[in-house]
């Protein structure tokens, strides 16, 4: 996935990036607890307002909110060490069924609940000068009442109208500052004081000089949460106060919130003071809703959700998204700048003399979300005076669905990070259509903020692939990135922005899928202006131009991250740091010796690293050159000590077509296969597409990474004595002109068979007690496996999936052919079309307010009806107020209860196939498939369509 390289990237956590795209420069360094192993890899973009993407867990005290709820613990009276696989008694099963038919939220067994309710550790943010660490304290899982607040769904955005913010915003509950002492230890915490009790903190940012923090606060009042108010805090004293003297100035946080301009001024997006009450819906409509295509335009769009439905919706969108910009100083003075508008981005120039201002305007669309609405991009002076308009992009309903297709006109408009008041951007030469063959495909331009009369933009570089961003250093060095998804090709160019005589040259030209050849990404240093540029390293008595390459170090034995000193001119490199290979997994998180301007001296190098193992959670340390002294600066407690001795192994095995596969096998603490025998097993995965077998066979991840357990993670069932096969690779490969999905079912089943055979061969999984599950595209996988490989699994759990691809006719996931171009593929991949073949129990779970393109809640509704219509053993759980991922404690606990009940009812006691060999079961499955194919599967909708093969097996 390409990393968008512009100012908004500064508010996400800093992590090593693949060279397929430029490193994202954060305005300050944000660190989070170790990544959590959830049920799935979500392919959605979620907006988190706490300055960093966080995954939160609930404190133990929060369980008091739900102490009236029933707790069902199937088999809890059995010996917890006896494989967790004892059959339920008749009485327990009866009680289980009665509870399952009842209403209300349930709680999972205590051994699962205690892990989910573990107190969350804080997120960390380093000051611009790297001398202080801000601890951002987080709450537990939110109550369902937070999600139940009214929300408006407008133009692809979900809005809390009462707060005038995005709905469902996470927040911090407190801020504490620690000084980083010379010996690497932390000073006692200085709490930020003055924040109202119960204040909900968002958008935390450091001033450029590191002396102040800015953030927003919302408070609960009369059962509702107030509109956000901007606050500032003095870092030295820890005292916080509102930014504005008037208590009637509120932040409008629908799009942009605020940005620092210099060290003492903020540009704030506020709710216009003249705004009245929201528009009222007319009792009598003014006319019918009409959509027209009388110009015969080709408009193909994915199944976007939450779109505008009528003019009333458009008026509401205007009402809530329109902002008035206000320049506010720390001394309390404030003035309005510019007219009220739908401002979406505010970006000060490197020298803070100009602003790059983006805004949306009418005409809106009922077909696409607001990101494709008409957009103006203008240059203003820092005090808010209009300078010039860069572009006014029209409505973009017609962007082709093919990968790498983009909007026409100027895009990715940004300031150069290394030069004052200089803009750069890209323009497509193929009309934005990736299917058009043209050279060059993209041109990158550069121009000053206020060009002289008649001065044309300078052509910086021409690209034959799709432009992916630039990492700046100075006038002698910049790196330009381009890539092409269809071929997985990615290239990095070296250019000299200030020297037209020097021709650009290719630095790296490789496949983005080939992780073994990934050279790493350049490390960035912070400038005095608060921007990030490539860090040049100076070696003693050496005139070479060196940079640091931070790589994941993928190898056949797993990732071994590294840091290389790389000569940009000769290509020679020296490995100056590498992770431990035997017990620990370490990564380079950030460069810490970047307070000085100019080249960094090698002997003064300081980096921040993380360190973890299979059983030890992530801690952070400083490493100092030249003696490589290590100073550990955090000491987070183990989040779930009851699983501290879990067993983890990265296993390798082979698919029948020769593709090497990888999975992570987790076993419960104290488990001994020779004594305890095979366990019930939960297989949880997510398919991926590849262009080559070699790339698909490569190992990704490390066997030494800490087992992070999220609130809905499959690893929770380690506490229930399950074996967990986490993330078994399921590569769907399309080499040459073949598309990956042309043989989706065949490759899916072959991958699952290889994984199941391996865990059975090892004696850790009982062949008739293996359940399969997944989220989103993993749920789609689960349903397909139960339809086409029932001999492998006893039951399945599918969450928030899409099961009928004819409901997503203009592409899905990475499939960019339409239903009419690849009818057979759409039909054969859809488990809905094979509902008559699903005979194993399947649990469907879906959020009632799923806003992910393609996974409408209707998908689970209709799939359940199809299953029920064929007598399948199935259950559908719709979670009120939940979206694609689940967040409320009540919802999460109930999902875990449903899943645990399903596993203990249909996996743990399952013996139906115990006397049958896997081969015999497979033969019966294949025979059933042949009968279903020959008879049309009893589905009259497809009678006569004999050319559409119902199964690839």
């Amino acid at each position: 996935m390409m990393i968008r390289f512009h100012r908004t990237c500064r508010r996400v956590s800093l992590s090593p990036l693949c060279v397929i795209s430029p490193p994202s420069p954060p305005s300050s360094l944000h660190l989070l607890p170790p990544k959590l192993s959830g049920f799935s890899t979500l392919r959605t973009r979620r907006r988190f307002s706490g300055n960093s993407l966080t995954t939160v867990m609930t404190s133990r005290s929060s369980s008091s909110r739900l102490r009236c709820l029933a707790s069902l613990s199937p088999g809890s009276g059995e010996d917890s060490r006896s494989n967790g696989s004892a059959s339920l008694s008749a009485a327990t099963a009866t009680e289980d069924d009665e509870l399952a038919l009842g209403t209300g939220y349930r709680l999972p067994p205590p051994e699962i609940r205690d892990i989910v309710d573990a107190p969350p550790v804080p997120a960390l943010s380093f000051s611009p000068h790297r001398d202080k660490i801000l601890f951002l304290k987080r709450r537990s899982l939110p109550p369902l009442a937070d999600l139940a607040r009214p929300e408006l769904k407008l133009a692809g955005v979900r809005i809390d109208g009462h707060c005038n913010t995005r709905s469902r915003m996470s927040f911090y509950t407190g801020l504490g500052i620690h000084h980083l002492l010379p010996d690497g230890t932390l000073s006692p915490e200085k709490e930020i004081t003055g924040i109202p009790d119960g204040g909900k903190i968002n958008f935390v940012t450091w001033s450029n000089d590191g002396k102040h923090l800015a953030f927003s606060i919302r408070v609960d009042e009369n059962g509702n949460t107030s509109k956000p108010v901007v606050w500032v805090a003095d870092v030295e004293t820890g005292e916080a106060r509102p930014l504005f003297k008037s208590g009637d100035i509120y932040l409008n946080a629908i799009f942009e919130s605020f940005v620092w301009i210099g060290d003492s001024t903020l540009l704030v997006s506020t709710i216009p003071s003249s705004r009245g009450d929201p528009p009222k819906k007319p009792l009598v409509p003014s006319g019918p809703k009409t959509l027209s295509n009388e110009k015969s335009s080709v408009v193909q769009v994915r199944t976007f959700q939450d779109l505008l439905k009528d003019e009333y919706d458009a008026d509401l969108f205007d009402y809530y998204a329109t902002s008035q910009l206000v320049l506010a100083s720390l001394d309390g003075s404030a003035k309005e700048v510019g007219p009220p508008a739908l401002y979406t981005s505010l970006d000060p120039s490197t020298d803070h003399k100009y602003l790059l201002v983006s805004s949306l305007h009418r005409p809106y669309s009922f077909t696409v979300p607001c990101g494709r609405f008409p957009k103006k991009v203008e240059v203003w002076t820092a005090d808010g005076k209009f300078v010039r308009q860069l572009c006014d992009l029209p409505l973009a309903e017609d962007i082709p669905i093919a990968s790498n297709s983009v909007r026409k006109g100027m895009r990715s408009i940004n300031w150069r990070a290394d030069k004052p008041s200089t803009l750069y951007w890209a323009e497509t030469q193929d009309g934005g259509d990736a299917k058009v063959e043209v050279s060059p495909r993209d041109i990158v331009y550069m121009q000053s903020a206020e060009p002289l009369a008649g001065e044309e933009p300078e052509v910086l570089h021409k690209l034959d692939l799709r432009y992916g961003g630039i990492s700046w250093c100075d006038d002698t060095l910049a790196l330009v990135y381009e890539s092409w998804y269809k071929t997985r090709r990615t290239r990095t160019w070296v250019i000299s922005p200030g020297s037209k005589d020097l021709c650009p040259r290719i630095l790296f030209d490789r496949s983005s899928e080939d992780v073994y050849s990934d050279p790493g990404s350049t490390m960035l240093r912070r400038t005095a202006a608060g921007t990030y540029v490539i860090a040049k390293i100076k070696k003693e008595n050496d005139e070479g131009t060196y940079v640091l390459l931070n790589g994941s170090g993928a190898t056949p034995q797993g990732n071994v991250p590294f840091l290389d000193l790389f000569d940009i001119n000769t290509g020679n490199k020296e490995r100056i740091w590498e992770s431990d290979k035997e017990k620990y997994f370490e990564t380079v998180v950030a460069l810490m010796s970047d307070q000085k301007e100019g080249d960094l001296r090698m002997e003064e190098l300081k980096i921040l690293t993380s360190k973890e193992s299979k059983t030890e959670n992530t801690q952070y340390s400083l490493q100092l050159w030249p003696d490589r002294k290590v100073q550990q600066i955090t000491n987070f407690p183990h989040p779930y000590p009851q699983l501290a001795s879990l067993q983890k192994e990265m296993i390798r095995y082979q698919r029948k077509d020769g593709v090497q596969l990888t999975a992570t096998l987790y076993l419960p603490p104290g488990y001994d296969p020779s004594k305890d025998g095979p366990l019930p097993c939960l297989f949880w995965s997510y398919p991926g597409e590849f262009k080559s077998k070699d790339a698909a066979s490569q190992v990704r991840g490390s066997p030494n990474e800490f087992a992070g357990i999220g609130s809905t993670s499959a690893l929770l069932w380690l506490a229930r004595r399950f074996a967990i096969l986490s993330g078994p690779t399921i590569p769907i490969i399309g080499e040459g002109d073949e598309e990956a999905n042309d043989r989706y079912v065949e490759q899916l089943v072959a991958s699952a068979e290889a994984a199941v055979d391996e865990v059975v061969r090892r004696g850790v999984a009982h062949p008739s007690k293996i359940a399969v599950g997944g989220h989103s595209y993993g749920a789609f996988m689960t349903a397909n496996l139960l339809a086409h490989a029932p001999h492998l699994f006893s039951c399945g759990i599918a969450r928030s999936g899409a099961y009928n691809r004819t409901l997503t006719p203009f592409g899905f996931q990475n499939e960019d052919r339409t239903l009419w171009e690849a009818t057979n593929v759409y039909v054969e991949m859809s488990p809905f079309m094979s509902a008559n073949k699903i005979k194993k129990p399947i649990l469907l779970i879906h959020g009632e307010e799923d806003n992910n393109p393609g996974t409408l809640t209707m998908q689970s509704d209709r799939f359940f009806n199809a299953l029920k219509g064929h007598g399948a053993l199935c259950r559908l759980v719709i979670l009120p107020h939940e979206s694609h991922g689940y967040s409320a404690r009540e919802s999460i606990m109930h999902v875990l209860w449903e899943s645990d009940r399903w596993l203990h009812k249909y996996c743990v006691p399952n013996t139906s196939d115990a006397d049958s060999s896997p081969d015999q079961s497979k033969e019966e499955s294949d025979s059933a498939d042949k009968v279903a194919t020959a008879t049309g599967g009893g589905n009259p909708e497809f009678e006569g369509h004999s050319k559409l093969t119902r199964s690839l097996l």
Side-chain angles (χ1 to χ4, degrees), residues 584-597:
Y584 292 100
F585 175 72
E586 302 169 284
T587 63
V588 174
V589 180
L591 188 63
M592 300 292 283
S593 52
D594 56 359
Q595 295 89 348
K596 299 178 181 179
E597 292 296 314

Side-chain angles (χ1 to χ4, degrees), residues 72-76 78 87-100 901 905:
L72 179 66
S73 178
S76 59
E78 302 291 339
S87 299
L88 296 176
S89 67
T92 305
T94 301
E95 178 187 2
D96 171 76
D97 290 338
E98 289 174 354
L99 282 168
R901 170 187 175 270
K905 188 170 185 179

Side-chain angles (χ1 to χ4, degrees), residues 73-232:
S73 178
S76 59
E78 302 291 339
D79 180 4
S80 62
R81 301 276 308 211
S82 60
N83 298 351
S85 58
S87 299
L88 296 176
S89 67
T92 305
T94 301
E95 178 187 2
D96 171 76
D97 290 338
E98 289 174 354
L99 282 168
L101 292 172
T103 59
Y105 290 94
R106 309 295 182 192
L107 293 173
E111 52 264 50
I112 289 180
R113 190 166 68 242
D114 289 347
I115 298 173
V116 177
D117 278 341
V121 298
L124 306 183
S125 175
F126 281 79
S127 66
H129 297 300
R130 308 294 195 247
D131 57 344
K132 301 176 184 69
I133 306 178
L134 179 67
F135 279 57
L136 301 105
K137 300 166 187 179
R138 302 180 293 129
R139 68 170 179 173
S140 59
L141 293 173
L144 187 62
D146 282 11
L147 274 65
R149 292 172 55 86
E151 65 179 358
L152 300 163
K153 303 172 183 178
L154 303 171
V157 179
R158 294 190 171 182
I159 296 172
D160 184 327
H162 185 82
C163 298
N164 217 105
T165 64
R166 298 289 182 101
S167 62
R168 306 164 185 248
M169 286 204 308
S170 62
F171 56 86
Y172 298 114
T173 58
L175 305 173
I177 296 176
H178 294 264
H179 285 263
L180 186 58
L181 303 178
D183 62 356
T185 60
L186 299 181
S187 69
E189 180 176 279
K190 178 180 291 183
E191 184 180 0
I192 300 297
T193 60
I195 296 174
D197 291 341
K200 300 177 179 179
I201 304 169
N202 295 100
F203 310 114
V204 184
T205 54
W206 294 86
S207 63
N208 290 330
D209 60 7
K211 295 181 178 179
H212 292 89
L213 294 169
F215 47 90
S216 72
I217 291 182
R218 294 171 293 150
V219 296
D220 290 330
E221 49 186 27
N222 301 322
N224 285 310
T225 301
S226 69
K227 294 179 176 63
V229 175
V230 181
W231 281 57
V232 291

Side-chain angles (χ1 to χ4, degrees), residues 582-835:
E582 301 305 320
K583 180 181 179 182
Y584 292 100
F585 175 72
E586 302 169 284
T587 63
V588 174
V589 180
L591 188 63
M592 300 292 283
S593 52
D594 56 359
Q595 295 89 348
K596 299 178 181 179
E597 292 296 314
D599 295 353
L600 303 179
R601 298 179 62 84
M602 186 65 203
E603 59 269 22
E604 297 176 352
L605 185 63
K606 182 194 297 185
I607 61 174
L608 180 72
T609 61
S610 67
K611 184 177 183 179
E612 61 196 82
S613 72
K614 296 176 183 179
T615 57
E616 299 173 47
N617 52 307
T618 304
Q619 307 294 347
Y620 296 99
S621 300
L622 294 175
Q623 297 209 19
L624 293 75
W625 268 254
D627 55 3
R628 297 282 301 277
K629 181 181 179 183
V630 177
Q631 300 173 338
Q632 183 173 322
I633 60 175
T634 63
N635 189 25
F636 296 123
H638 198 291
Y640 22 87
Q642 59 270 55
L643 292 180
S645 59
L646 62 81
Q647 303 172 52
K648 175 186 177 182
E649 181 183 359
M650 181 178 284
I651 62 174
R652 300 296 310 277
Y653 49 96
Q654 184 171 293
R655 203 165 74 179
K656 61 185 179 183
D657 61 358
V659 176
Q660 293 292 319
L661 304 178
T662 310
T664 303
L665 176 63
Y666 292 91
L667 298 171
Y671 169 71
D672 184 341
S674 63
K675 296 179 181 179
D676 301 329
L679 298 170
C681 178
L682 179 56
F683 172 116
W684 205 275
S685 192
Y686 195 102
E689 294 84 6
F690 291 87
K691 286 302 293 180
S692 75
K693 290 182 178 180
D694 288 342
S697 295
Q698 292 181 353
V699 175
R700 293 161 174 81
S702 167
N704 295 326
E705 287 182 89
F706 180 68
I709 302 179
S711 57
T712 53
S713 170
L715 301 188
L716 289 166
W717 274 270
L718 288 168
R720 300 285 281 159
R721 306 297 292 173
F722 272 69
I724 308 297
L725 194 63
S726 177
T729 51
I730 302 184
I732 310 299
I733 305 166
E735 294 188 304
D737 294 331
E738 181 186 43
E739 295 293 336
N741 287 336
D742 291 348
R743 296 189 299 115
Y744 173 85
V745 173
E746 175 188 341
Q747 297 187 70
L748 176 72
V749 172
S751 298
E753 283 180 335
V756 168
D757 288 347
E758 179 64 17
V759 291
V760 171
R761 182 191 68 79
R762 288 171 171 260
V764 297
H766 194 291
S768 65
K769 298 182 180 182
I770 301 177
V772 60
H775 185 105
S776 194
Y777 207 51
F780 176 71
M781 168 207 75
T782 297
N784 265 309
L785 285 173
L786 292 184
H788 302 292
H791 59 288
L792 296 177
F793 302 105
S794 61
C795 64
I797 301 172
R799 301 186 328 174
S800 299
Y803 308 103
N804 183 354
R805 286 305 170 193
T806 68
L807 298 178
T808 55
F810 290 108
F812 57 90
Q813 201 71 1
N814 292 315
E815 176 60 68
D816 55 18
R817 294 171 294 182
T818 69
L819 168 64
W820 299 272
E821 293 170 328
T823 307
N824 284 7
V825 170
Y826 274 67
V827 171
E828 291 166 358
M829 286 184 68
S830 297
F832 180 86
M833 303 301 181
S834 300

Side-chain angles (χ1 to χ4, degrees), residues 833 836 930-944 950:
M833 303 301 181
N836 59 311
K930 292 173 184 175
V931 172
T933 303
T935 62
N939 189 342
E941 293 181 13
F942 286 88
E943 290 181 4
R950 295 302 308 278

Side-chain angles (χ1 to χ4, degrees), residues 827-870:
V827 171
E828 291 166 358
M829 286 184 68
S830 297
F832 180 86
M833 303 301 181
S834 300
N836 59 311
K837 301 178 186 178
I838 297 180
K839 307 302 181 185
K840 296 295 179 70
I842 181 169
L843 172 64
L844 304 175
I845 302 176
H846 216 119
E848 191 174 33
E849 304 295 334
D850 194 327
N851 63 342
N852 185 52
T855 56
L856 291 78
T857 309
M858 173 182 64
Q859 288 272 6
S860 287
D861 286 332
R862 294 188 176 179
F863 188 40
F864 175 74
N865 288 333
L867 293 167
K868 190 169 65 170
H870 288 89

